[in-house]
Amino acid sequence: MKTWIVGCITLLGLMGCATTAQQPAEEIYQHREILRTMWPGYDPVARGVGFYNSSDGYVTIALEADTPPSHFSPLSPGVWRSHDVFPQLRQSFYINTFIQDTRATLVAYPLSDPDPFTLLFHEDFHGYQLDSFATREGNTLARFEAGEMPINTLVAAVRMERSLLIAALEAETQQSREQALRNYAGLRVWREAQLPASTVMIERNNETHEGTASWIGHRAAKLLLGRTEDAFLEQRKSVLEFDYEAMEASTSIRLMTARVYSTGAALTELLPQVTNLEWHTLIEDRSTTLFEMLILAFDWSSDFLEGVGQEISNSQEFARAINTASTLSWPESDEAVLARVESEHRWKLSIDMPAGSEGGFSAVGGTITQLTDHALLLHPVQQYDVETDNLSVALRNRYIVLKNSAHLRTSDNEENGEASGRVLTLYLNEMNDSLRCADGETVCEGSLTELTQRGVDIQSETQLPYRLERINQ
């Protein structure tokens, strides 16, 4: 693995100490040709990718440009540093953001992880998806509904599916790879037949959206850090081996949200080994999912796959997997979690956030619970930030509910071209003069541009409508 050496330099007439982000940005620019081969049409250096320094506020980007980007100075060929500092940048990453009039995807630097690339390229590929995919994004925070399928059977199935993907990755012959993938597809079709159609659609879309981005992020890091193909394969296997179902997390995260990154990345790795179809184009232009591409690659019929899945589900191995899954314990229901949070607070404050605020969403720490497909509870989130041109929100150690964020936007909104804002609900025990309620009122409405109290900092250039409701004495 490469290490970054930081020192003071004289370069292109600029005297000073190089930002710590210069070295990784130079690696990106120097390897721009091979980075373009990861996905047809995806050119990260033409798009602009880079880092903002969390200590001095400067932005450093790798960008191939015919003219120098506005408000940037050259550090080395293809690497630029902003003239100005941006102390307001405080999130983990920004996708398709603008520094003055220059578009870029940025991550905070230095990171605690010695790998500065995986997150950057993962998030930039999400930006590429927004620009180029017919289906623009997944719904990774959707609530997972199992319908009538027994949870132990579901867990046994998804665990065995990941084992079959590992077998496909490790296969030494095309025949053994095809056999592992046939069993994987058959078991998955059998499982999906027992789930609500909406759940199947969400899982397939999320897997495609997050899986391709996960693969791109790790592939870019592999290329830039000089990792071997064997190390890359072991990385794909290790994330598949992780026991997501035993995590300390909400049921939806354990059953779907976490694992689709690993299964999607594995399918992205396997597809070029088993098909000559233009699968990248089908995914981008026709919204074909990764799993659908696998079925197309082998032209398996539904009846054939159902038969394979039925045979596996009747096996002794599958019975043992169900028995093992029965030892898992599950958290209280999502509704019970919300009821408990509400019972511990006196006030519920709901604030209408403007359209466009969803682009700056960043949350750190806490537990996520999916209340519905379009609402989630963060309890208690250690750090939540929104930063736009006319809005700044910083919440610390708060219980909050988000509704209708960009990550949870409805298909109806997308089809109608409507911009979706966000309703931010805070649970409070103390009150602030920014909130106006007459004495004795238990529900009141108003608007605010500023709200500051312990752990809450909201600054807006426009009025934000709010509703304040007393929920406990």
Side-chain angles (χ1 to χ4, degrees):
M1 179 180 293
K2 297 176 182 177
T3 57
W4 308 116
I5 300 173
V6 180
C8 292
I9 60 171
T10 303
L11 182 66
L12 298 177
L14 300 173
M15 177 71 75
C17 192
T19 65
T20 56
Q22 181 177 343
Q23 288 83 4
E26 288 176 343
E27 288 288 334
I28 293 170
Y29 185 76
Q30 291 164 9
H31 291 83
R32 62 193 182 280
E33 294 296 337
I34 193 169
L35 291 172
R36 289 174 182 144
T37 67
M38 294 189 297
W39 186 281
Y42 174 55
D43 189 342
V45 176
R47 290 171 49 79
V49 292
F51 311 90
Y52 74 90
N53 193 293
S54 55
S55 60
D56 62 26
Y58 285 100
V59 172
T60 304
I61 59 172
L63 175 67
E64 193 166 38
D66 294 331
T67 58
S70 177
H71 301 282
F72 281 80
S73 299
L75 288 177
S76 61
V79 176
W80 313 84
R81 194 184 81 163
S82 60
H83 291 167
D84 303 319
V85 298
F86 297 88
Q88 71 271 28
L89 297 178
R90 54 190 177 188
Q91 297 165 195
S92 300
F93 60 84
Y94 294 83
I95 301 173
N96 287 0
T97 194
F98 279 85
I99 301 301
Q100 304 296 359
D101 55 358
T102 300
R103 191 224 73 90
T105 293
L106 305 174
V107 298
Y109 192 87
L111 303 168
S112 57
D113 191 324
D115 164 16
F117 303 117
T118 299
L119 177 64
L120 174 63
F121 285 90
H122 179 118
E123 299 305 337
D124 187 56
F125 196 72
H126 281 325
Y128 174 77
Q129 291 168 336
L130 288 169
D131 295 338
S132 303
F133 279 35
T135 300
R136 295 179 61 214
E137 62 179 282
N139 188 5
T140 50
L141 296 178
R143 179 165 166 155
F144 185 84
E145 301 287 355
E148 299 300 319
M149 189 174 190
I151 194 167
N152 294 337
T153 305
L154 171 62
V155 169
V158 296
R159 284 175 167 177
M160 189 172 288
E161 288 168 24
R162 293 201 299 276
S163 295
L164 289 166
L165 284 176
I166 291 173
L169 288 169
E170 292 178 328
E172 296 182 356
T173 68
Q174 193 70 1
Q175 181 180 5
S176 59
R177 179 175 294 109
E178 179 176 346
Q179 181 178 359
L181 289 174
R182 178 197 65 201
N183 291 339
Y184 163 78
L187 179 58
R188 180 163 176 175
V189 165
W190 175 85
R191 170 175 65 85
E192 289 182 343
Q194 302 176 67
L195 296 172
S198 59
T199 296
V200 173
M201 179 191 69
I202 289 170
E203 180 182 348
R204 290 186 179 190
N205 285 341
N206 288 351
E207 182 177 64
T208 302
H209 178 67
E210 294 295 347
T212 52
S214 180
W215 185 89
I216 288 289
H218 287 288
R219 190 69 184 178
K222 182 259 178 206
L223 296 172
L224 292 167
L225 295 174
R227 293 169 177 162
T228 65
E229 287 293 336
D230 287 343
F232 182 73
L233 176 60
E234 288 301 314
Q235 191 176 50
R236 303 274 60 72
K237 289 164 50 182
S238 67
V239 293
L240 289 166
E241 290 168 346
F242 185 82
D243 193 356
Y244 301 97
E245 294 71 38
M247 292 171 59
E248 291 188 10
S250 68
T251 300
S252 292
I253 290 176
R254 290 168 63 176
L255 292 180
M256 179 184 68
T257 305
R259 65 180 167 85
V260 296
Y261 290 75
S262 64
T263 58
L267 289 173
T268 305
E269 175 74 8
L270 287 162
L271 274 173
Q273 302 178 42
V274 298
T275 184
N276 292 321
L277 293 173
E278 296 293 331
W279 60 277
H280 301 89
T281 301
L282 290 172
I283 287 174
E284 284 195 25
D285 297 345
R286 301 186 188 180
S287 300
T288 308
T289 65
L290 287 167
F291 185 52
E292 290 164 345
M293 278 305 318
L294 178 66
I295 295 173
L296 285 173
F298 291 100
D299 198 24
W300 288 315
S301 70
S302 297
D303 289 343
F304 171 74
L305 290 178
E306 289 170 5
V308 171
Q310 190 65 52
E311 182 178 352
I312 295 173
S313 69
N314 290 330
S315 67
Q316 291 185 354
E317 182 183 6
F318 193 71
R320 288 192 294 270
I322 292 176
N323 186 58
T324 300
S326 67
T327 63
L328 292 174
S329 61
W330 296 91
E332 59 185 329
S333 70
D334 300 339
E335 293 79 9
V337 172
L338 180 60
R340 176 168 52 80
V341 169
E342 293 196 338
S343 72
E344 296 171 351
H345 293 85
R346 297 174 63 192
W347 297 90
K348 181 167 71 172
L349 172 64
S350 297
I351 303 171
D352 290 346
M353 310 287 277
S357 64
E358 61 274 359
F361 169 39
S362 175
V364 177
T367 300
I368 297 175
T369 293
Q370 291 78 9
L371 302 176
T372 69
D373 276 358
H374 309 295
L376 63 145
L377 169 68
L378 305 175
H379 54 105
V381 65
Q382 295 172 13
Q383 176 178 333
Y384 172 86
D385 293 294
V386 172
E387 193 74 47
T388 69
D389 291 340
N390 57 10
L391 175 69
S392 173
V393 177
L395 307 178
R396 299 295 179 265
N397 298 313
R398 288 290 177 179
Y399 291 81
I400 63 177
V401 170
L402 297 177
K403 294 182 181 179
N404 299 328
S405 75
H407 301 278
L408 307 172
R409 79 169 128 232
T410 65
S411 57
D412 291 340
N413 279 345
E414 289 199 355
E415 290 172 1
N416 296 330
E418 298 174 3
S420 60
R422 166 185 300 142
V423 178
L424 171 67
T425 298
L426 286 168
Y427 290 92
L428 306 171
N429 281 320
E430 67 278 1
M431 199 43 60
N432 182 282
D433 289 341
S434 299
L435 306 173
R436 304 295 181 184
C437 281
D439 291 342
E441 286 191 355
T442 58
V443 178
C444 62
E445 298 180 346
S447 60
L448 57 84
T449 58
E450 179 180 350
L451 175 61
T452 302
Q453 59 190 76
R454 191 163 57 104
V456 178
D457 185 4
I458 297 175
Q459 307 288 332
S460 174
E461 293 183 8
T462 59
Q463 293 286 334
L464 302 177
Y466 72 81
R467 174 185 171 89
L468 182 63
E469 178 181 0
R470 186 163 196 144
I471 54 178
N472 289 295
Q473 294 299 320

